[in-house]
Amino acid sequence: MPHIQSKSLLDKPLQDKPFAHQRSVHVSHPPHSGSKRRSTPLIQANSVSYQFDDGEYLFQGISCTLNHRRIGLVGRNGVGKSIFASLLIKQLEPTQGSVLLNARVASYSQLPSELLESERSIAEYLKLDEVIMALDRVEAGECSEALFSTIGEQWTVKGDLEQQLRSMKLPPDAHFPCCLLSGGQLARLRLWQLFQSDVELLVLDEPSNHLDADGRSWLVNQMQRFSGDLLLISHDRQLLREMDRIWELTTLGLTQFGGHFDFYLEQKNQEVIAIERQINSVTKQQKHVETQAQKNKEKYEQRAAKGNALRKTGGVPKIVLNQRRSDATASVSNRLKNEGGRRELLREKEKSLRVRQEQLKTQKVYMAEGDSRARHWVTIVNGQLPYVQCNPINLQLSSSVKLHLEGGNGSGKSTLLKVMLGDVEDAGGEWRINAPLYYLDQHFGLMKEQLSMLENVVLFCDGLLENDARTLLAGIGFRRDDVHRMVNQLSGGEKMKLATLVVSHQEKQPLLLLDEPDNHLDLDSKSILADVLRQYKGPFVLVSHDADFVKESGVNQVYRLD
């Protein structure tokens, strides 16, 4: 991947670029992209496969062409979206197949940035440090030809940068260490640098994971104004609705949908209905084959009995009876062969349909009934948070409250949850916690990584026998040897299902503290978790920047940190 030079930050104004295009959204028909037509595709992948060192294939034989302006790549956790995108932009090499890349490309990864571990300043990260240091020295009174040569025509770059940082709600200090930025602030900085570059294709892998609502709106605006092409890997429906095409990666391969995200959902719904009809049709055909086979068998037995009776009476020459029996035997052999072939054909068709149905069907996780008696579980009066400047917190939670905790990046949402847990000491006020608490973050760190799923359930659910634990795990899709898989081998969605199972089978229904639990979940897993929270009879405090997820979770109260 080519390196992004600081020239792109200096040759362009640091302010936002003018609005590039506006697209309408329709559900019934895919929209026409306003993109320019290309004689050469950006990317061509031919029969691409990726195989792990242990011999297992992640996916096989995928071919695709990327020549549209905006592609949204979706799929369940663990299916290989990030690896597939890395193959397309030649950061990785496929095990089989080939990729042709015909564009200048840059990418944003959801993996932790190396900036968190370094002392680099914002100016150093943007490669503006030499110019800004020269400006600082000139402002301090130094005067030399070397300093003027370094500055060149960039006399306003420091002020322009600080103005841009202020507009992005970052510290307006070019020398501010990147490691002290919040996750959302660092994401904005990294994304802004990419959007200012002159690349033709940006690959964005879960760019909204650490952004608050304001940050997501900013990201949508940047995407709309970006003049190049986008490949977006995301489970964020707000971002996916900005895409012109949706590609879905499953264990069966890559399916391309010729429309925006809502069009994709409509097509998926239609496919679910169509597959159910096909499965019903195959089932009817199987029953018909079996019914006809039984009738043919009864006819043959009747004819055989009649032939045996004629043989005993001697009324028909033996040679004729033998010929009839030979013909009948041959007929039965052909019939059985045809019936067997028909059965096998229908079995294969049903198997194929069931596999696709499994990819499409909505998964479910059920929570146990909670204690719905009205009482105050949490009372906070004039609460003060450490490390954060915010208004005093006055909050009361009963067993029926499903609270959405709002606030921008750095407003103290995670700190508030940690104070409630007792992991961080409060800075003042009255804090009364009268409930068992369970904390679930985006990594579902409640679970013991080096233990199996079965061991975790037995460990956290007091008094639960192993056989009962196996039954509960089977209920959420983990059967037989699957229960012995280590937690550190699970996808985000699988960890979520395991964690919610454990939480739902506590002796006393806990108050759930949910710190962006949807951050790394695929669309299906988000839907499952939202459904679980909506059904949950106990209270919860939810931190999330996904408005669709919050709404679907059944939130009935909002508290904002300012």
Side-chain angles (χ1 to χ4, degrees), residues 243-421:
M243 299 298 103
D244 300 320
R245 302 286 188 273
I246 299 295
W247 289 2
E248 182 184 43
L249 186 64
T250 71
T251 55
L252 303 179
L254 185 72
T255 304
Q256 301 182 35
F257 294 82
H260 51 68
F261 182 66
D262 291 319
F263 179 79
Y264 154 77
L265 291 180
E266 179 63 26
Q267 293 298 302
K268 289 287 291 289
N269 289 334
Q270 291 180 13
E271 187 178 359
V272 169
I273 295 171
I275 285 181
E276 288 176 352
R277 287 175 178 169
Q278 292 178 61
I279 289 176
N280 290 336
S281 176
V282 169
T283 301
K284 290 179 181 178
Q285 292 177 60
Q286 289 173 324
K287 289 180 179 178
H288 177 74
V289 167
E290 296 304 323
T291 299
Q292 192 61 46
Q294 183 62 31
K295 289 181 179 178
N296 291 336
K297 180 181 178 182
E298 291 173 357
K299 286 181 181 179
Y300 170 73
E301 290 174 348
Q302 290 171 1
R303 289 173 183 170
K306 186 176 180 181
N308 289 332
L310 288 173
R311 189 180 296 275
K312 289 179 180 179
T313 60
V316 180
K318 187 175 181 180
I319 189 172
V320 174
L321 290 174
N322 288 341
Q323 183 61 45
R324 288 181 180 176
R325 182 164 62 182
S326 178
D327 292 344
T329 300
S331 176
V332 169
S333 177
N334 288 334
R335 175 173 58 77
L336 293 176
K337 184 178 180 180
N338 290 337
E339 288 173 356
R342 183 67 174 154
R343 286 191 183 99
E344 184 61 28
L345 184 65
L346 291 171
R347 269 197 298 268
E348 288 299 318
K349 188 174 182 179
E350 181 188 23
K351 181 180 177 182
S352 175
L353 290 170
R354 295 286 185 190
V355 170
R356 182 56 182 159
Q357 185 185 47
E358 182 66 25
Q359 292 288 334
L360 294 169
K361 76 176 184 179
T362 302
Q363 303 175 64
K364 294 287 184 182
V365 177
Y366 297 97
M367 278 196 158
E369 293 288 323
D371 181 2
S372 60
R373 290 174 297 173
R375 56 191 177 90
H376 295 150
W377 288 44
V378 172
T379 300
I380 304 172
V381 180
N382 294 324
Q384 301 287 336
L385 296 177
Y387 323 124
V388 178
Q389 293 295 324
C390 69
N391 294 326
I393 300 168
N394 292 283
L395 181 63
Q396 196 169 70
L397 301 178
S398 68
S399 61
S400 61
V401 169
K402 297 185 176 184
L403 179 76
H404 179 211
L405 184 60
E406 288 187 341
N409 290 129
S411 62
K413 300 183 298 297
S414 295
T415 303
L416 172 58
L417 298 187
K418 290 176 181 177
V419 170
M420 291 173 66
L421 278 169

Side-chain angles (χ1 to χ4, degrees), residues 21 36 101 159 178 229 537-538:
H21 68 281
K36 52 191 176 292
L101 178 61
C178 291
D229 297 283
K537 301 303 181 183

Side-chain angles (χ1 to χ4, degrees), residues 482-521:
D482 278 350
V483 301
H484 297 299
R485 288 171 59 195
M486 296 296 170
V487 168
N488 59 14
Q489 298 173 343
L490 303 180
S491 69
E494 289 170 330
K495 286 183 180 179
M496 178 274 296
K497 290 196 286 185
L498 178 63
T500 52
L501 175 69
V502 166
V503 168
S504 69
H505 287 81
Q506 299 304 304
E507 183 177 355
K508 294 183 178 179
Q509 201 73 12
L511 165 63
L512 303 184
L513 304 181
L514 304 153
D515 194 357
E516 299 192 57
D518 57 313
N519 232 5
H520 297 292
L521 298 183

Side-chain angles (χ1 to χ4, degrees), residues 436-440 443-466 469 472-473 486-488 490 495 497-510:
L437 304 178
Y438 260 74
Y439 177 76
L440 298 178
H443 303 296
F444 296 94
L446 166 72
M447 300 292 97
K448 301 293 184 182
E449 292 280 318
Q450 300 305 319
L451 296 181
S452 70
M453 288 188 284
L454 180 61
E455 290 169 331
N456 267 279
V457 174
V458 172
L459 173 66
F460 286 107
C461 300
D462 290 340
L464 192 68
L465 300 178
E466 182 175 318
L472 292 176
L473 287 167
M486 296 296 170
V487 168
N488 59 14
L490 303 180
K495 286 183 180 179
K497 290 196 286 185
L498 178 63
T500 52
L501 175 69
V502 166
V503 168
S504 69
H505 287 81
Q506 299 304 304
E507 183 177 355
K508 294 183 178 179
Q509 201 73 12

